C-alpha cells in the first residue's frame, strides 16, 4: 500500500484524479493496486493493461478492507471514484505525491546498463534517504509505483525507465519532472517491438522533455545531442548537457575515456577519463568490462550533486549487482558458472562473450545461449553474428544453443564449425538435468556430460527473459555439486 502525501480524504483524491466521487466523503489510509492485499481503509485502483483488467477484482479489494475503488467502469456498484482512465489516475496521484515530497530526481534510460547504474547510485547515496526502482520494475507502471514509495524522509529518487514500444514514455514525460536524465547507450534491443532504431532513439529521448530547466542530461550514446541525434560509433566519450527554457540541450562538457584490461589480472581494469595528460587515472575491479563505463557514468552523475568522482569510483570498485542474474559468478568446485540470464540482446551477448574470452584463465569455455527476442527483421542476422562470434572464441570447448531462432541459423555454418555446437531444440523441457546426468559413454551429439566434471571450465549462460535460462544455472550448479 502506498501512502499519498497531502491527500487524506476521498473528495480530495477525486479532485486530484479529475474523477467523480460516487459516495459520501471520508478519510482513507492509502492507495493499493493489488486486490489481494489486505488494506484496511485503502483505495484500490483498477488498473488495466494488455493482459489484465483490474476492474474485475474490485469486489475482492473491498472484501480485503478497501473502502473505495478508482474505476472507469460506470456500471460498477458501490463506493467508487469514476475516472476516464485508471492509469491516468495513477499518474496523477504519483505526480501529486512527487511534488509534495520534491526529491532530487535522477531518471535513467538506455538499451543496456540501466539497472546496474541504478544499483550503483543506490550504493553510494544514503540508503535511508534514497528510493530506487525495485529490481526491474521499470515500465509504465513501475515508474509511478517507485515514486509512490517516497516518504517525507526521501531526499533522492532514482528512477529506472524502460520501454518496449514506441511512445512508451509520452505520458511519463507529461506527468513528472527530473533533475537529471542519464542515457547509458542505444542499440537494437527490442527493435522488433519498436520497429526501427530511429523509434528507439525517439522514445528514449522523449524523456528529455521531463528534465527541468537548467537540469542535466548525461549520455554515452550520441556524438552531440545539441546538434543532432547521430549515434557515436567512432569513439568512447560521455557528454553532459544543460537544458534551457526551450527544452533544448547545451553541451557543456565531454569526457573521452579509455578502458584497458590488466594484462596480469582478470577482472581488473585501468580507466583513463579525459583526453589530456592530466586525465584522471582509475584502477577498477569488476566482473565485466562494460561495468567500467557504468561506474564512470554513475560517478559523473553523482559529481553533479556534490560527490567526489574519485571517491565514488573507489567505492564502486568490486561492485556486484545485488540482482544475481546479471553476470553473477558462482564458483563451484573448479568451475566458474556465470549467470547472465536476466535478459539478452546482440550487444550484451557479445559483451559477455568478449569478457570471458579476454580473461587469461586457462580453463575451457562452455557457452550456453538462448534465443534473443524482439529483434524483428534483424533476428536472423543477429543470431548468426552471435554464433559466429562464439565460434571465434579462444578456448571454446562447446557452444550450446537453445531455441528455434538459433536452430534456423546453424545450417549456414560448416561441418567443422558445427562440431563445436550442441543444439537444444526444446527450450521448455528438462534438458539440463537429463542431459548432464546421462551416461558419458553414450555416443550422441546431445550428450554434454563429458564437458563437465573434467578439468574445470568457465560456463556462460545467457538468453532472453522468455527463454528462462536460469534453469541451466540451477541444473548445472546442482550437478557439479
Amino acid at each position: 500500500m502506498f501512502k499519498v502525501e497531502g491527500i487524506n480524504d476521498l473528495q480530495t483524491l477525486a479532485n486530484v484524479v479529475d474523477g467523480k466521487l460516487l459516495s459520501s466523503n471520508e478519510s482513507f489510509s492509502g492507495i493499493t493496486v493489488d486486490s489481494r492485499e489486505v488494506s484496511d481503509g485503502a483505495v484500490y485502483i483498477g488498473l488495466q493493461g494488455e493482459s489484465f483488467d483490474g476492474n474485475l477484482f474490485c469486489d475482492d479489494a473491498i472484501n480485503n478492507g478497501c473502502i473505495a475503488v478508482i474505476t472507469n467502469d460506470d456500471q460498477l456498484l458501490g463506493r467508487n471514484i469514476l475516472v476516464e482512465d485508471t492509469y491516468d489516475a495513477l499518474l496523477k496521484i504519483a505526480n501529486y505525491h512527487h511534488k509534495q515530497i520534491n526529491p532530487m530526481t535522477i531518471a535513467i534510460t538506455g538499451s543496456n546498463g540501466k539497472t546496474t547504474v541504478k544499483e550503483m547510485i543506490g550504493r553510494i547515496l544514503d540508503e535511508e534517504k534514497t528510493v530506487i526502482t525495485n529490481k526491474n520494475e521499470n515500465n509504465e507502471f513501475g515508474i509511478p509505483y517507485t515514486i509512490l514509495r517516497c516518504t517525507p524522509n526521501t531526499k533522492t529518487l532514482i528512477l529506472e525507465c524502460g520501454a518496449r514500444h514506441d511512445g512508451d514514455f509520452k505520458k511519463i514525460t507529461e506527468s513528472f519532472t527530473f533533475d537529471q536524465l542519464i542515457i547509458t547507450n542505444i542499440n537494437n534491443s527490442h527493435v522488433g517491438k519498436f520497429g526501427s532504431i530511429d523509434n528507439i532513439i525517439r522514445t528514449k529521448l522523449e524523456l528529455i522533455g521531463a528534465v527541468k530547466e537548467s537540469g542535466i542530461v548525461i549520455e554515452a550514446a550520441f556524438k552531440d545531442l545539441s546538434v543532432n541525434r547521430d549515434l557515436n560509433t567512432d569513439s568512447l566519450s560521455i557528454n553532459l548537457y544543460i537544458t534551457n527554457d526551450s527544452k533544448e540541450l547545451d553541451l557543456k562538457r565531454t569526457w573521452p575515456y579509455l578502458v584497458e584490461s590488466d594484462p596480469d589480472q582478470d577482472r581488473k581494469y585501468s580507466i583513463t577519463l579525459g583526453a589530456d595528460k592530466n586525465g584522471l587515472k582509475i584502477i577498477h575491479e569488476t566482473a565485466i568490462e562494460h561495468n567500467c563505463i557504468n561506474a564512470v557514468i554513475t560517478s559523473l552523475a553523482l559529481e553533479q550533486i556534490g560527490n567526489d568522482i574519485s571517491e565514488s569510483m573507489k567505492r564502486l570498485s568490486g561492485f556486484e549487482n545485488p540482482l544475481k542474474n546479471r553476470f553473477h559468478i558462482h564458483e563451484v568446485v573448479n568451475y566458474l558458472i556465470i549467470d547472465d540470464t536476466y535478459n539478452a540482446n546482440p550487444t550484451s551477448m557479445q559483451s559477455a562473450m568478449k569478457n570471458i574470452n579476454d580473461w587469461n584463465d586457462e580453463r575451457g569455455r562452455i557457452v550456453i545461449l538462448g534465443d534473443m527476442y524482439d529483434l524483428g527483421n534483424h533476428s536472423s542476422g543477429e543470431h548468426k553474428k552471435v554464433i559466429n562470434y562464439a565460434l571465434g572464441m579462444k578456448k571454446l570447448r562447446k557452444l550450446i544453443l537453445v531455441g528455434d531462432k538459433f536452430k534456423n541459423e546453424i545450417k549456414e555454418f560448416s561441418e567443422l564449425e558445427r562440431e563445436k555446437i550442441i543444439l537444444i531444440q526444446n527450450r521448455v523441457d528438462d534438458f539440463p538435468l537429463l542431459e548432464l546426468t546421462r551416461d558419458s559413454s553414450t555416443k550422441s551429439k546431445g550428450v554434454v556430460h563429458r564437458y563437465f566434471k573434467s578439468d574445470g571450465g568457465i560456463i556462460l549462460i545467457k538468453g532472453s527473459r522468455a527463454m528462462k535460462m536460469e534453469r541451466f544455472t540451477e541444473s548445472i550448479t546442482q550437478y557439479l555439486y
Side-chain angles (χ1 to χ4, degrees), residues 171-414:
K171 287 188 174 182
I172 296 297
T173 299
E174 293 171 348
S175 299
F176 307 110
T177 58
F178 311 139
D179 297 278
Q180 276 194 44
L181 172 64
I182 297 171
I183 305 171
T184 55
N185 56 33
I186 299 289
N187 58 46
N188 63 0
S189 178
H190 304 307
V191 68
K193 294 282 190 181
F194 282 95
S196 69
I197 290 287
D198 286 342
N199 288 343
I200 293 174
I201 292 172
R202 182 173 61 250
T203 298
K204 304 293 187 185
L205 295 186
E206 205 163 32
L207 289 174
I208 293 174
V211 180
K212 296 176 181 177
E213 182 180 346
S214 299
I216 293 170
V217 175
I218 295 175
E219 55 86 8
F222 300 91
K223 292 180 178 179
D224 182 352
L225 274 176
S226 67
V227 177
N228 56 44
R229 296 184 172 188
D230 292 346
L231 293 173
N232 185 359
T233 57
D234 304 323
S235 61
L236 300 176
S237 61
I238 302 169
N239 297 319
L240 182 146
Y241 311 84
I242 304 296
T243 58
N244 59 33
D245 56 1
S246 301
K247 296 294 183 181
E248 296 173 341
L249 300 179
D250 297 325
L251 179 63
K252 292 300 182 183
R253 190 173 177 186
T254 295
W255 293 272
Y257 68 90
L258 176 67
V259 178
E260 298 174 293
S261 59
D262 189 314
D264 301 316
Q265 184 176 339
D266 292 340
R267 297 181 247 174
K268 189 174 183 180
Y269 300 88
S270 173
I271 305 171
T272 303
L273 185 60
D276 56 36
K277 62 182 180 180
N278 296 319
L280 183 62
K281 306 286 186 181
I282 304 163
I283 301 300
H284 191 71
E285 295 185 13
T286 181
I288 189 164
E289 182 177 331
H290 63 236
N291 274 350
C292 291
I293 182 57
N294 290 332
V296 172
I297 290 172
T298 297
S299 299
L300 290 175
L302 291 174
E303 185 184 42
Q304 310 314 309
I305 59 173
N307 293 64
D308 180 75
I309 185 170
S310 296
E311 181 61 27
S312 293
M313 288 297 298
K314 181 179 178 180
R315 291 180 62 184
L316 291 173
S317 187
F319 171 84
E320 290 187 14
N321 200 313
L323 305 178
K324 298 302 183 183
N325 52 6
R326 289 165 168 81
F327 211 84
H328 181 72
I329 299 176
H330 304 262
E331 296 193 26
V332 183
V333 196
N334 55 343
Y335 280 83
L336 294 183
I337 302 175
I338 302 171
D339 182 353
D340 204 18
T341 60
Y342 165 66
N343 217 336
N345 59 47
T347 300
S348 65
M349 279 269 196
Q350 292 195 27
S351 175
M353 289 189 288
K354 177 183 183 301
N355 212 75
I356 65 169
N357 190 50
D358 289 347
W359 288 349
N360 295 319
D361 195 307
E362 291 299 322
R363 288 173 288 187
R365 275 58 164 173
I366 301 164
V367 177
I368 305 175
L369 303 178
D371 284 347
M372 298 176 290
Y373 278 57
D374 297 341
L375 293 175
N377 294 333
H378 298 254
S379 181
S380 175
E382 294 294 354
H383 280 84
K384 196 177 301 180
K385 286 179 186 177
V386 165
I387 297 172
N388 193 58
Y389 189 95
L391 291 174
M393 293 173 63
K394 59 188 180 184
K395 305 188 187 74
L396 179 70
R397 192 181 299 170
K398 215 68 180 177
L399 172 62
I400 302 174
L401 300 175
V402 186
D404 292 336
K405 298 180 190 300
F406 275 123
K407 174 187 175 182
N408 293 336
E409 306 307 326
I410 62 172
K411 63 181 180 294
E412 301 289 332
F413 293 85
S414 69

